[in-house]
Amino acid sequence: QVQLVESGGGLVQAGDSLRLSCAASGRTFSRSIMGWFRQAPGKEREFVAAISRNGGRTDYADSVKGRFTISRDNTENTVYLQMNSLKPEDTAVYYCAADVNSPFAWQITRTTNGYDYWGQGTQVTVSS
């Protein structure tokens, strides 16, 4: 099993940057696809970014492509989300998630029901 704890959220102004971290515990982190999702009040949880088991492939939602970067450090069991040029519409609770079931090192999962474990979330608020 994998336990996930997000950190790094906060209150920033439009145009600023934040780096979110997700620390994982368990035996399967290096074998897991890792993803970031976000949920704003009144909206469904939406895909933000994902990274394959070996870090060789990434995927981004159109709304964040070019501004956000996902990365992972398997030696430290941590996945990151670097967020640049933040906009007020980026305001949400950000969650990291782990998909432990894919047998392929290159695979990306971007649907919420494809992930097995979720963190508690970290709040990101962007003021105009």
Side-chain angles (χ1 to χ4, degrees), residues 19-82:
R19 189 179 75 159
L20 305 183
S21 299
C22 176
S25 62
R27 297 179 179 270
T28 61
F29 176 81
S30 64
R31 300 191 295 274
S32 300
I33 301 167
M34 299 300 299
W36 286 97
F37 293 76
R38 66 187 183 187
Q39 188 167 22
K43 295 185 177 181
E44 294 183 343
R45 190 168 298 185
E46 66 175 351
F47 170 78
V48 176
I51 188 166
S52 61
R53 282 161 42 192
N54 62 5
R57 292 176 61 88
T58 58
D59 191 23
Y60 299 93
D62 289 343
S63 59
V64 306
K65 189 174 183 179
R67 298 188 297 121
F68 291 9
T69 303
I70 187 171
S71 61
R72 68 190 297 162
D73 185 343
N74 286 351
T75 65
E76 297 186 354
N77 285 5
T78 303
V79 63
Y80 303 96
L81 185 68
Q82 178 66 45

Tab-separated table of all heavy atoms in Angstrom, residues 19-82:
chain	number	residue	atom	x	y	z
A	19	ARG	N	5.707	25.257	-5.537
A	19	ARG	CA	6.070	23.875	-5.784
A	19	ARG	C	5.403	22.996	-4.745
A	19	ARG	O	5.656	23.134	-3.545
A	19	ARG	CB	7.581	23.650	-5.750
A	19	ARG	CG	7.962	22.237	-6.224
A	19	ARG	CD	9.448	21.970	-6.233
A	19	ARG	NE	9.978	21.767	-4.894
A	19	ARG	CZ	11.121	21.142	-4.629
A	19	ARG	NH1	11.864	20.673	-5.624
A	19	ARG	NH2	11.530	21.011	-3.377
A	20	LEU	N	4.555	22.104	-5.209
A	20	LEU	CA	3.905	21.144	-4.340
A	20	LEU	C	4.741	19.876	-4.254
A	20	LEU	O	5.369	19.471	-5.231
A	20	LEU	CB	2.507	20.795	-4.858
A	20	LEU	CG	1.547	21.956	-5.105
A	20	LEU	CD1	0.188	21.416	-5.539
A	20	LEU	CD2	1.413	22.832	-3.872
A	21	SER	N	4.727	19.262	-3.093
A	21	SER	CA	5.411	17.996	-2.884
A	21	SER	C	4.420	16.966	-2.386
A	21	SER	O	3.461	17.288	-1.687
A	21	SER	CB	6.542	18.142	-1.862
A	21	SER	OG	7.523	19.053	-2.296
A	22	CYS	N	4.655	15.736	-2.751
A	22	CYS	CA	3.849	14.618	-2.277
A	22	CYS	C	4.801	13.534	-1.813
A	22	CYS	O	5.486	12.913	-2.636
A	22	CYS	CB	2.923	14.110	-3.378
A	22	CYS	SG	1.954	12.662	-2.933
A	23	ALA	N	4.847	13.322	-0.515
A	23	ALA	CA	5.708	12.307	0.070
A	23	ALA	C	4.936	11.008	0.207
A	23	ALA	O	3.833	10.990	0.750
A	23	ALA	CB	6.219	12.766	1.427
A	24	ALA	N	5.518	9.933	-0.274
A	24	ALA	CA	4.866	8.636	-0.284
A	24	ALA	C	5.573	7.671	0.646
A	24	ALA	O	6.801	7.677	0.756
A	24	ALA	CB	4.836	8.058	-1.697
A	25	SER	N	4.788	6.853	1.285
A	25	SER	CA	5.319	5.758	2.082
A	25	SER	C	4.723	4.456	1.582
A	25	SER	O	3.634	4.435	1.011
A	25	SER	CB	5.016	5.944	3.563
A	25	SER	OG	3.615	5.959	3.804
A	26	GLY	N	5.433	3.388	1.789
A	26	GLY	CA	4.995	2.101	1.297
A	26	GLY	C	6.049	1.472	0.407
A	26	GLY	O	7.091	2.071	0.124
A	27	ARG	N	5.753	0.293	-0.044
A	27	ARG	CA	6.725	-0.489	-0.799
A	27	ARG	C	6.617	-0.339	-2.305
A	27	ARG	O	7.476	-0.848	-3.030
A	27	ARG	CB	6.573	-1.972	-0.437
A	27	ARG	CG	6.856	-2.303	1.010
A	27	ARG	CD	6.648	-3.781	1.281
A	27	ARG	NE	6.942	-4.121	2.672
A	27	ARG	CZ	8.127	-4.493	3.112
A	27	ARG	NH1	9.154	-4.579	2.280
A	27	ARG	NH2	8.291	-4.785	4.388
A	28	THR	N	5.593	0.352	-2.800
A	28	THR	CA	5.288	0.310	-4.220
A	28	THR	C	5.440	1.636	-4.942
A	28	THR	O	5.038	1.745	-6.101
A	28	THR	CB	3.852	-0.206	-4.442
A	28	THR	OG1	2.921	0.669	-3.803
A	28	THR	CG2	3.703	-1.613	-3.890
A	29	PHE	N	6.023	2.656	-4.317
A	29	PHE	CA	6.085	3.969	-4.954
A	29	PHE	C	6.779	3.913	-6.312
A	29	PHE	O	6.279	4.455	-7.302
A	29	PHE	CB	6.796	4.977	-4.054
A	29	PHE	CG	6.973	6.325	-4.700
A	29	PHE	CD1	5.930	7.235	-4.718
A	29	PHE	CD2	8.168	6.675	-5.307
A	29	PHE	CE1	6.076	8.475	-5.318
A	29	PHE	CE2	8.328	7.912	-5.906
A	29	PHE	CZ	7.278	8.812	-5.913
A	30	SER	N	7.927	3.279	-6.382
A	30	SER	CA	8.688	3.249	-7.623
A	30	SER	C	7.983	2.469	-8.718
A	30	SER	O	8.349	2.592	-9.888
A	30	SER	CB	10.081	2.663	-7.384
A	30	SER	OG	10.003	1.313	-6.966
A	31	ARG	N	6.979	1.689	-8.368
A	31	ARG	CA	6.209	0.921	-9.340
A	31	ARG	C	4.870	1.576	-9.660
A	31	ARG	O	4.036	0.957	-10.323
A	31	ARG	CB	5.981	-0.505	-8.832
A	31	ARG	CG	7.277	-1.280	-8.577
A	31	ARG	CD	7.007	-2.756	-8.329
A	31	ARG	NE	6.244	-2.987	-7.105
A	31	ARG	CZ	6.778	-3.109	-5.897
A	31	ARG	NH1	8.094	-3.022	-5.745
A	31	ARG	NH2	6.001	-3.328	-4.845
A	32	SER	N	4.665	2.812	-9.203
A	32	SER	CA	3.381	3.482	-9.332
A	32	SER	C	3.435	4.627	-10.330
A	32	SER	O	4.392	5.399	-10.357
A	32	SER	CB	2.922	4.038	-7.982
A	32	SER	OG	2.785	3.010	-7.018
A	33	ILE	N	2.378	4.727	-11.136
A	33	ILE	CA	2.112	5.965	-11.849
A	33	ILE	C	1.664	6.992	-10.809
A	33	ILE	O	0.854	6.691	-9.933
A	33	ILE	CB	1.007	5.777	-12.896
A	33	ILE	CG1	1.406	4.707	-13.912
A	33	ILE	CG2	0.684	7.090	-13.594
A	33	ILE	CD1	0.249	4.248	-14.783
A	34	MET	N	2.177	8.207	-10.903
A	34	MET	CA	1.809	9.260	-9.968
A	34	MET	C	1.095	10.374	-10.714
A	34	MET	O	1.495	10.763	-11.811
A	34	MET	CB	3.036	9.820	-9.256
A	34	MET	CG	3.794	8.797	-8.419
A	34	MET	SD	2.777	8.071	-7.087
A	34	MET	CE	2.381	9.532	-6.121
A	35	GLY	N	0.046	10.886	-10.100
A	35	GLY	CA	-0.724	11.945	-10.713
A	35	GLY	C	-1.048	13.057	-9.739
A	35	GLY	O	-1.018	12.871	-8.517
A	36	TRP	N	-1.341	14.220	-10.287
A	36	TRP	CA	-1.863	15.353	-9.540
A	36	TRP	C	-3.244	15.698	-10.082
A	36	TRP	O	-3.447	15.773	-11.301
A	36	TRP	CB	-0.958	16.577	-9.650
A	36	TRP	CG	0.302	16.502	-8.850
A	36	TRP	CD1	1.532	16.129	-9.287
A	36	TRP	CD2	0.438	16.822	-7.460
A	36	TRP	NE1	2.442	16.196	-8.262
A	36	TRP	CE2	1.799	16.617	-7.131
A	36	TRP	CE3	-0.436	17.259	-6.471
A	36	TRP	CZ2	2.298	16.839	-5.846
A	36	TRP	CZ3	0.052	17.475	-5.194
A	36	TRP	CH2	1.399	17.268	-4.893
A	37	PHE	N	-4.177	15.909	-9.172
A	37	PHE	CA	-5.526	16.329	-9.497
A	37	PHE	C	-5.867	17.543	-8.649
A	37	PHE	O	-5.206	17.823	-7.651
A	37	PHE	CB	-6.531	15.203	-9.231
A	37	PHE	CG	-6.377	14.017	-10.134
A	37	PHE	CD1	-5.351	13.101	-9.938
A	37	PHE	CD2	-7.251	13.814	-11.190
A	37	PHE	CE1	-5.208	12.008	-10.773
A	37	PHE	CE2	-7.120	12.720	-12.031
A	37	PHE	CZ	-6.095	11.822	-11.824
A	38	ARG	N	-6.907	18.257	-9.042
A	38	ARG	CA	-7.349	19.386	-8.238
A	38	ARG	C	-8.863	19.465	-8.246
A	38	ARG	O	-9.525	18.992	-9.168
A	38	ARG	CB	-6.745	20.700	-8.740
A	38	ARG	CG	-7.208	21.129	-10.129
A	38	ARG	CD	-6.417	22.344	-10.588
A	38	ARG	NE	-6.870	22.829	-11.884
A	38	ARG	CZ	-6.270	23.787	-12.572
A	38	ARG	NH1	-5.181	24.375	-12.082
A	38	ARG	NH2	-6.751	24.167	-13.746
A	39	GLN	N	-9.396	20.073	-7.195
A	39	GLN	CA	-10.830	20.217	-7.070
A	39	GLN	C	-11.157	21.572	-6.465
A	39	GLN	O	-10.727	21.885	-5.357
A	39	GLN	CB	-11.429	19.100	-6.212
A	39	GLN	CG	-12.942	19.086	-6.198
A	39	GLN	CD	-13.495	17.806	-5.609
A	39	GLN	OE1	-12.819	17.107	-4.858
A	39	GLN	NE2	-14.734	17.492	-5.958
A	40	ALA	N	-11.902	22.369	-7.213
A	40	ALA	CA	-12.383	23.645	-6.744
A	40	ALA	C	-13.793	23.475	-6.179
A	40	ALA	O	-14.502	22.534	-6.549
A	40	ALA	CB	-12.386	24.661	-7.879
A	41	PRO	N	-14.233	24.372	-5.296
A	41	PRO	CA	-15.578	24.259	-4.734
A	41	PRO	C	-16.650	24.191	-5.814
A	41	PRO	O	-16.645	24.987	-6.753
A	41	PRO	CB	-15.718	25.520	-3.891
A	41	PRO	CG	-14.317	25.872	-3.514
A	41	PRO	CD	-13.490	25.502	-4.719
A	42	GLY	N	-17.545	23.223	-5.690
A	42	GLY	CA	-18.630	23.077	-6.631
A	42	GLY	C	-18.270	22.407	-7.936
A	42	GLY	O	-19.134	22.287	-8.811
A	43	LYS	N	-17.032	21.973	-8.090
A	43	LYS	CA	-16.598	21.346	-9.323
A	43	LYS	C	-16.104	19.927	-9.065
A	43	LYS	O	-15.761	19.565	-7.944
A	43	LYS	CB	-15.487	22.163	-9.989
A	43	LYS	CG	-15.917	23.537	-10.463
A	43	LYS	CD	-14.796	24.227	-11.215
A	43	LYS	CE	-15.228	25.569	-11.751
A	43	LYS	NZ	-14.127	26.243	-12.504
A	44	GLU	N	-16.079	19.134	-10.134
A	44	GLU	CA	-15.550	17.787	-10.043
A	44	GLU	C	-14.030	17.824	-9.949
A	44	GLU	O	-13.379	18.766	-10.400
A	44	GLU	CB	-15.969	16.960	-11.254
A	44	GLU	CG	-17.458	16.705	-11.353
A	44	GLU	CD	-17.805	15.826	-12.534
A	44	GLU	OE1	-16.963	15.689	-13.445
A	44	GLU	OE2	-18.913	15.268	-12.542
A	45	ARG	N	-13.480	16.782	-9.370
A	45	ARG	CA	-12.037	16.646	-9.332
A	45	ARG	C	-11.513	16.444	-10.751
A	45	ARG	O	-12.027	15.610	-11.499
A	45	ARG	CB	-11.649	15.469	-8.444
A	45	ARG	CG	-10.169	15.377	-8.137
A	45	ARG	CD	-9.904	14.364	-7.024
A	45	ARG	NE	-10.553	14.750	-5.776
A	45	ARG	CZ	-10.412	14.102	-4.631
A	45	ARG	NH1	-9.623	13.032	-4.563
A	45	ARG	NH2	-11.047	14.514	-3.549
A	46	GLU	N	-10.508	17.220	-11.131
A	46	GLU	CA	-10.014	17.181	-12.492
A	46	GLU	C	-8.536	16.840	-12.547
A	46	GLU	O	-7.759	17.166	-11.645
A	46	GLU	CB	-10.265	18.520	-13.203
A	46	GLU	CG	-9.488	19.692	-12.635
A	46	GLU	CD	-9.674	20.961	-13.449
A	46	GLU	OE1	-10.258	20.901	-14.548
A	46	GLU	OE2	-9.227	22.036	-12.975
A	47	PHE	N	-8.165	16.210	-13.638
A	47	PHE	CA	-6.791	15.831	-13.882
A	47	PHE	C	-5.927	17.056	-14.116
A	47	PHE	O	-6.330	17.992	-14.807
A	47	PHE	CB	-6.730	14.915	-15.107
A	47	PHE	CG	-5.353	14.645	-15.609
A	47	PHE	CD1	-4.527	13.733	-14.970
A	47	PHE	CD2	-4.873	15.291	-16.732
A	47	PHE	CE1	-3.250	13.471	-15.436
A	47	PHE	CE2	-3.601	15.043	-17.213
A	47	PHE	CZ	-2.790	14.128	-16.555
A	48	VAL	N	-4.721	17.045	-13.548
A	48	VAL	CA	-3.758	18.114	-13.744
A	48	VAL	C	-2.516	17.607	-14.471
A	48	VAL	O	-2.127	18.151	-15.507
A	48	VAL	CB	-3.350	18.761	-12.410
A	48	VAL	CG1	-2.256	19.807	-12.625
A	48	VAL	CG2	-4.564	19.391	-11.736
A	49	ALA	N	-1.892	16.572	-13.931
A	49	ALA	CA	-0.652	16.061	-14.510
A	49	ALA	C	-0.411	14.643	-14.020
A	49	ALA	O	-0.911	14.238	-12.972
A	49	ALA	CB	0.540	16.956	-14.131
A	50	ALA	N	0.379	13.893	-14.775
A	50	ALA	CA	0.757	12.543	-14.381
A	50	ALA	C	2.150	12.238	-14.900
A	50	ALA	O	2.610	12.842	-15.874
A	50	ALA	CB	-0.244	11.511	-14.903
A	51	ILE	N	2.796	11.285	-14.256
A	51	ILE	CA	4.143	10.890	-14.633
A	51	ILE	C	4.254	9.378	-14.527
A	51	ILE	O	3.729	8.757	-13.604
A	51	ILE	CB	5.195	11.615	-13.762
A	51	ILE	CG1	6.611	11.367	-14.282
A	51	ILE	CG2	5.051	11.220	-12.294
A	51	ILE	CD1	7.634	12.316	-13.674
A	52	SER	N	4.942	8.784	-15.493
A	52	SER	CA	5.078	7.338	-15.530
A	52	SER	C	6.001	6.841	-14.430
A	52	SER	O	6.684	7.616	-13.757
A	52	SER	CB	5.590	6.889	-16.897
A	52	SER	OG	6.868	7.443	-17.164
A	53	ARG	N	6.027	5.522	-14.253
A	53	ARG	CA	6.793	4.918	-13.169
A	53	ARG	C	8.251	5.337	-13.166
A	53	ARG	O	8.823	5.613	-12.105
A	53	ARG	CB	6.701	3.392	-13.259
A	53	ARG	CG	5.405	2.804	-12.734
A	53	ARG	CD	5.173	1.404	-13.266
A	53	ARG	NE	6.381	0.593	-13.275
A	53	ARG	CZ	6.497	-0.566	-13.901
A	53	ARG	NH1	5.472	-1.048	-14.587
A	53	ARG	NH2	7.634	-1.246	-13.853
A	54	ASN	N	8.847	5.381	-14.349
A	54	ASN	CA	10.266	5.709	-14.431
A	54	ASN	C	10.533	7.185	-14.706
A	54	ASN	O	11.691	7.579	-14.861
A	54	ASN	CB	10.952	4.848	-15.494
A	54	ASN	CG	10.392	5.074	-16.885
A	54	ASN	OD1	9.547	5.940	-17.109
A	54	ASN	ND2	10.866	4.277	-17.841
A	55	GLY	N	9.492	7.997	-14.758
A	55	GLY	CA	9.648	9.416	-14.996
A	55	GLY	C	9.865	9.806	-16.436
A	55	GLY	O	10.044	10.992	-16.733
A	56	GLY	N	9.843	8.842	-17.345
A	56	GLY	CA	10.162	9.111	-18.732
A	56	GLY	C	9.050	9.730	-19.547
A	56	GLY	O	9.314	10.295	-20.612
A	57	ARG	N	7.818	9.622	-19.088
A	57	ARG	CA	6.681	10.183	-19.798
A	57	ARG	C	5.842	11.008	-18.843
A	57	ARG	O	5.656	10.632	-17.685
A	57	ARG	CB	5.817	9.077	-20.419
A	57	ARG	CG	6.490	8.330	-21.563
A	57	ARG	CD	5.616	7.192	-22.054
A	57	ARG	NE	4.333	7.650	-22.559
A	57	ARG	CZ	4.107	8.028	-23.816
A	57	ARG	NH1	5.086	7.992	-24.708
A	57	ARG	NH2	2.908	8.427	-24.180
A	58	THR	N	5.342	12.124	-19.336
A	58	THR	CA	4.463	12.988	-18.560
A	58	THR	C	3.254	13.373	-19.390
A	58	THR	O	3.272	13.297	-20.621
A	58	THR	CB	5.179	14.256	-18.081
A	58	THR	OG1	5.696	14.972	-19.213
A	58	THR	CG2	6.322	13.911	-17.144
A	59	ASP	N	2.208	13.797	-18.699
A	59	ASP	CA	0.979	14.212	-19.351
A	59	ASP	C	0.399	15.368	-18.550
A	59	ASP	O	0.495	15.379	-17.312
A	59	ASP	CB	-0.012	13.049	-19.422
A	59	ASP	CG	-1.200	13.337	-20.319
A	59	ASP	OD1	-1.094	14.203	-21.203
A	59	ASP	OD2	-2.238	12.663	-20.141
A	60	TYR	N	-0.199	16.332	-19.253
A	60	TYR	CA	-0.740	17.516	-18.606
A	60	TYR	C	-2.103	17.868	-19.164
A	60	TYR	O	-2.377	17.680	-20.353
A	60	TYR	CB	0.187	18.722	-18.819
A	60	TYR	CG	1.562	18.551	-18.246
A	60	TYR	CD1	2.604	18.065	-19.027
A	60	TYR	CD2	1.827	18.879	-16.920
A	60	TYR	CE1	3.874	17.908	-18.498
A	60	TYR	CE2	3.092	18.725	-16.390
A	60	TYR	CZ	4.108	18.237	-17.184
A	60	TYR	OH	5.366	18.082	-16.652
A	61	ALA	N	-2.941	18.408	-18.302
A	61	ALA	CA	-4.179	18.996	-18.767
A	61	ALA	C	-3.869	20.220	-19.618
A	61	ALA	O	-2.886	20.931	-19.385
A	61	ALA	CB	-5.064	19.388	-17.585
A	62	ASP	N	-4.710	20.472	-20.611
A	62	ASP	CA	-4.486	21.617	-21.487
A	62	ASP	C	-4.427	22.928	-20.710
A	62	ASP	O	-3.691	23.845	-21.086
A	62	ASP	CB	-5.584	21.694	-22.543
A	62	ASP	CG	-5.482	20.593	-23.580
A	62	ASP	OD1	-4.416	19.964	-23.691
A	62	ASP	OD2	-6.480	20.365	-24.291
A	63	SER	N	-5.172	23.021	-19.629
A	63	SER	CA	-5.249	24.258	-18.874
A	63	SER	C	-3.949	24.606	-18.154
A	63	SER	O	-3.753	25.762	-17.764
A	63	SER	CB	-6.393	24.189	-17.857
A	63	SER	OG	-6.206	23.117	-16.953
A	64	VAL	N	-3.064	23.627	-17.960
A	64	VAL	CA	-1.820	23.883	-17.231
A	64	VAL	C	-0.579	23.634	-18.072
A	64	VAL	O	0.533	23.949	-17.623
A	64	VAL	CB	-1.741	23.045	-15.943
A	64	VAL	CG1	-2.980	23.260	-15.085
A	64	VAL	CG2	-1.558	21.563	-16.257
A	65	LYS	N	-0.736	23.093	-19.252
A	65	LYS	CA	0.413	22.766	-20.094
A	65	LYS	C	1.220	24.026	-20.393
A	65	LYS	O	0.674	25.058	-20.760
A	65	LYS	CB	-0.049	22.111	-21.387
A	65	LYS	CG	1.087	21.533	-22.219
A	65	LYS	CD	0.562	20.759	-23.418
A	65	LYS	CE	1.679	20.113	-24.199
A	65	LYS	NZ	1.180	19.340	-25.355
A	66	GLY	N	2.526	23.919	-20.224
A	66	GLY	CA	3.407	25.048	-20.417
A	66	GLY	C	3.661	25.855	-19.168
A	66	GLY	O	4.597	26.667	-19.138
A	67	ARG	N	2.846	25.651	-18.138
A	67	ARG	CA	3.007	26.370	-16.879
A	67	ARG	C	3.410	25.451	-15.729
A	67	ARG	O	4.160	25.869	-14.850
A	67	ARG	CB	1.712	27.095	-16.498
A	67	ARG	CG	1.280	28.146	-17.506
A	67	ARG	CD	0.098	28.957	-16.980
A	67	ARG	NE	-1.086	28.130	-16.761
A	67	ARG	CZ	-1.705	27.993	-15.588
A	67	ARG	NH1	-1.250	28.652	-14.516
A	67	ARG	NH2	-2.781	27.229	-15.481
A	68	PHE	N	2.908	24.216	-15.728
A	68	PHE	CA	3.169	23.278	-14.646
A	68	PHE	C	4.121	22.188	-15.118
A	68	PHE	O	4.106	21.790	-16.292
A	68	PHE	CB	1.873	22.605	-14.175
A	68	PHE	CG	0.909	23.509	-13.461
A	68	PHE	CD1	1.091	24.880	-13.403
A	68	PHE	CD2	-0.202	22.958	-12.834
A	68	PHE	CE1	0.186	25.701	-12.748
A	68	PHE	CE2	-1.117	23.773	-12.171
A	68	PHE	CZ	-0.918	25.142	-12.127
A	69	THR	N	4.926	21.674	-14.200
A	69	THR	CA	5.839	20.580	-14.488
A	69	THR	C	5.765	19.547	-13.373
A	69	THR	O	5.939	19.888	-12.204
A	69	THR	CB	7.286	21.071	-14.627
A	69	THR	OG1	7.373	22.064	-15.653
A	69	THR	CG2	8.207	19.906	-14.992
A	70	ILE	N	5.513	18.303	-13.741
A	70	ILE	CA	5.513	17.214	-12.777
A	70	ILE	C	6.845	16.483	-12.856
A	70	ILE	O	7.408	16.307	-13.937
A	70	ILE	CB	4.329	16.250	-13.018
A	70	ILE	CG1	4.229	15.210	-11.896
A	70	ILE	CG2	4.426	15.574	-14.381
A	70	ILE	CD1	2.961	14.360	-11.960
A	71	SER	N	7.356	16.068	-11.716
A	71	SER	CA	8.592	15.314	-11.661
A	71	SER	C	8.543	14.369	-10.473
A	71	SER	O	7.678	14.490	-9.600
A	71	SER	CB	9.811	16.241	-11.568
A	71	SER	OG	9.758	17.034	-10.392
A	72	ARG	N	9.462	13.415	-10.446
A	72	ARG	CA	9.496	12.479	-9.327
A	72	ARG	C	10.930	12.128	-8.993
A	72	ARG	O	11.813	12.140	-9.851
A	72	ARG	CB	8.686	11.216	-9.635
A	72	ARG	CG	9.260	10.331	-10.726
A	72	ARG	CD	8.266	9.241	-11.139
A	72	ARG	NE	7.968	8.330	-10.053
A	72	ARG	CZ	6.908	7.513	-10.018
A	72	ARG	NH1	6.036	7.533	-11.027
A	72	ARG	NH2	6.722	6.704	-8.987
A	73	ASP	N	11.140	11.811	-7.734
A	73	ASP	CA	12.423	11.350	-7.242
A	73	ASP	C	12.157	10.034	-6.531
A	73	ASP	O	11.712	10.016	-5.385
A	73	ASP	CB	13.055	12.367	-6.303
A	73	ASP	CG	14.450	11.970	-5.861
A	73	ASP	OD1	14.826	10.793	-5.998
A	73	ASP	OD2	15.187	12.849	-5.369
A	74	ASN	N	12.413	8.946	-7.219
A	74	ASN	CA	12.092	7.641	-6.658
A	74	ASN	C	12.981	7.270	-5.478
A	74	ASN	O	12.598	6.444	-4.647
A	74	ASN	CB	12.176	6.568	-7.744
A	74	ASN	CG	11.010	6.627	-8.711
A	74	ASN	OD1	10.042	7.352	-8.499
A	74	ASN	ND2	11.091	5.860	-9.793
A	75	THR	N	14.176	7.855	-5.403
A	75	THR	CA	15.048	7.576	-4.274
A	75	THR	C	14.524	8.197	-2.986
A	75	THR	O	14.844	7.719	-1.899
A	75	THR	CB	16.472	8.073	-4.529
A	75	THR	OG1	16.483	9.502	-4.635
A	75	THR	CG2	17.026	7.475	-5.810
A	76	GLU	N	13.723	9.267	-3.100
A	76	GLU	CA	13.141	9.923	-1.938
A	76	GLU	C	11.644	9.688	-1.823
A	76	GLU	O	10.996	10.258	-0.941
A	76	GLU	CB	13.429	11.420	-1.973
A	76	GLU	CG	14.908	11.750	-1.892
A	76	GLU	CD	15.175	13.233	-1.786
A	76	GLU	OE1	14.218	14.030	-1.894
A	76	GLU	OE2	16.344	13.601	-1.572
A	77	ASN	N	11.085	8.884	-2.695
A	77	ASN	CA	9.653	8.572	-2.681
A	77	ASN	C	8.805	9.841	-2.688
A	77	ASN	O	7.865	9.993	-1.897
A	77	ASN	CB	9.294	7.709	-1.469
A	77	ASN	CG	9.725	6.268	-1.623
A	77	ASN	OD1	10.379	5.891	-2.589
A	77	ASN	ND2	9.351	5.437	-0.661
A	78	THR	N	9.131	10.747	-3.593
A	78	THR	CA	8.456	12.036	-3.643
A	78	THR	C	8.136	12.409	-5.081
A	78	THR	O	8.960	12.212	-5.981
A	78	THR	CB	9.314	13.138	-3.007
A	78	THR	OG1	9.623	12.775	-1.653
A	78	THR	CG2	8.573	14.466	-2.997
A	79	VAL	N	6.945	12.959	-5.284
A	79	VAL	CA	6.555	13.522	-6.565
A	79	VAL	C	6.290	15.006	-6.362
A	79	VAL	O	5.794	15.422	-5.304
A	79	VAL	CB	5.326	12.795	-7.156
A	79	VAL	CG1	4.103	12.957	-6.264
A	79	VAL	CG2	5.039	13.292	-8.566
A	80	TYR	N	6.636	15.816	-7.361
A	80	TYR	CA	6.538	17.259	-7.258
A	80	TYR	C	5.637	17.809	-8.355
A	80	TYR	O	5.487	17.218	-9.428
A	80	TYR	CB	7.912	17.913	-7.393
A	80	TYR	CG	8.926	17.434	-6.392
A	80	TYR	CD1	9.821	16.424	-6.718
A	80	TYR	CD2	8.995	17.991	-5.120
A	80	TYR	CE1	10.761	15.976	-5.799
A	80	TYR	CE2	9.926	17.553	-4.197
A	80	TYR	CZ	10.809	16.549	-4.541
A	80	TYR	OH	11.735	16.112	-3.635
A	81	LEU	N	5.067	18.966	-8.084
A	81	LEU	CA	4.362	19.727	-9.097
A	81	LEU	C	4.844	21.170	-9.006
A	81	LEU	O	4.507	21.882	-8.057
A	81	LEU	CB	2.848	19.658	-8.912
A	81	LEU	CG	2.029	20.340	-10.007
A	81	LEU	CD1	2.168	19.573	-11.329
A	81	LEU	CD2	0.559	20.449	-9.616
A	82	GLN	N	5.656	21.572	-9.967
A	82	GLN	CA	6.109	22.952	-10.050
A	82	GLN	C	5.070	23.749	-10.817
A	82	GLN	O	4.765	23.432	-11.968
A	82	GLN	CB	7.456	23.032	-10.762
A	82	GLN	CG	7.985	24.445	-10.950
A	82	GLN	CD	8.332	25.118	-9.645
A	82	GLN	OE1	8.970	24.504	-8.792
A	82	GLN	NE2	7.916	26.365	-9.483
